[in-house]
Amino acid sequence: MKNQKFLLLFLLLICLVMSCSSKSVNIALIHFKPELGELNNNLTALVPLITEALENDADIVVTPELSTTGFSITRDQVLENLGLTDPFPELNSIRNLAIEYTSYIFMGIAEKTDQDEVYNSVVVFGPEGYEQLQRKRGLSGWHERGNLPFKIMKTEYGEIAPIICSDSYLPEWPRILAKKGVDIVLLSANWWGTGQEKIWQTRARENGIWFFIANRWGIEEDPRYGFTYNMNNAPAPLPDLQQLVI
């Protein structure tokens, strides 16, 4: 597989047998190693990986949290050159892929608003283009707290929605999605260490929903605090069985 430096790509076939849907769905989780602070390089690397997933019949593609920037960024960097602003023209090629392949693509980005607010966000594109934006509620030191309501997307595969990394720590956020009728939660993550898979498994089990996580990989040096993040030992939970039935 090409671009091994950047990619651990898992294409999952999940057979959903639910009251709302009996259609199978292919979900691609792109376990990506972004270059810290290199927006253009990361976008250049992500486009062919997303294309590869779609060419292998992915219906939904998920990238990690902050896949366009890396994790250890600052507010000033986002305001200066790393932040993307609605309607996100830098992501036009990715939006066009979603339209061309009638798929859903979840992109973890750093967002900058016209009011110079900054957010840790996920943009979702679908068969008709832009679908929704979600902002992380948990704080990472440089961004505002997410202020958008959770929104469910009705698809032929069931009802789906994004959530971002540590927002899955707290039971309230996934529970809101479950109460709104979500079937599949697509989670963009940037998590290191061990034990996280138990949190994700618990959130899924207590709500009777599916969690699929695109967690980044690699080692990142944090110049802000002199800390090293080793994502190589972090979980990227994949089912042991290729085919699952709800």
Side-chain angles (χ1 to χ4, degrees), residues 81-235:
N81 58 17
L82 294 183
L84 305 182
T85 302
D86 194 353
F88 312 110
E90 298 88 349
L91 303 179
N92 280 349
S93 60
I94 293 170
R95 179 202 63 193
N96 292 340
L97 285 170
I99 295 170
E100 178 183 354
Y101 286 89
T102 60
S103 62
Y104 295 87
I105 302 173
F106 291 64
M107 285 292 300
I109 68 164
E111 179 195 0
K112 176 181 71 174
T113 71
D114 292 331
Q115 294 76 39
D116 282 346
E117 297 170 326
V118 295
Y119 295 97
N120 182 338
S121 301
V122 164
V123 183
V124 185
F125 299 105
E128 297 182 4
Y130 174 82
E131 287 281 345
Q132 70 155 289
L133 178 71
Q134 187 52 256
R135 294 168 174 164
K136 187 178 181 181
R137 287 156 170 77
L139 298 178
S140 304
W142 57 267
H143 60 84
E144 270 77 44
R145 189 178 299 279
N147 56 1
L148 298 176
F150 287 110
K151 180 182 176 184
I152 305 298
M153 292 176 287
K154 294 181 181 292
T155 76
E156 58 189 311
Y157 318 111
E159 300 195 10
I160 66 176
I163 199 168
I164 303 171
C165 201
S166 64
D167 282 356
S168 62
Y169 288 179
L170 302 176
E172 289 84 357
W173 307 135
R175 186 60 178 164
I176 288 172
L177 289 171
K179 293 287 283 184
K180 289 188 173 186
V182 76
D183 298 304
I184 304 173
V185 172
L186 291 312
L187 195 153
S188 295
N190 199 312
W191 226 337
W192 59 93
T194 58
Q196 296 92 329
E197 69 275 16
K198 296 188 183 303
I199 295 176
W200 294 325
Q201 290 166 359
T202 299
R203 295 289 88 84
R205 288 168 177 163
E206 67 192 4
N207 290 294
I209 58 180
W210 286 104
F211 258 61
F212 288 91
I213 299 96
N215 198 26
R216 69 152 289 167
W217 71 283
I219 294 175
E220 184 173 288
E221 302 290 340
D222 189 338
R224 304 169 301 177
Y225 309 117
F227 189 78
T228 299
Y229 300 104
N230 182 358
M231 269 69 73
N232 290 333
N233 63 352

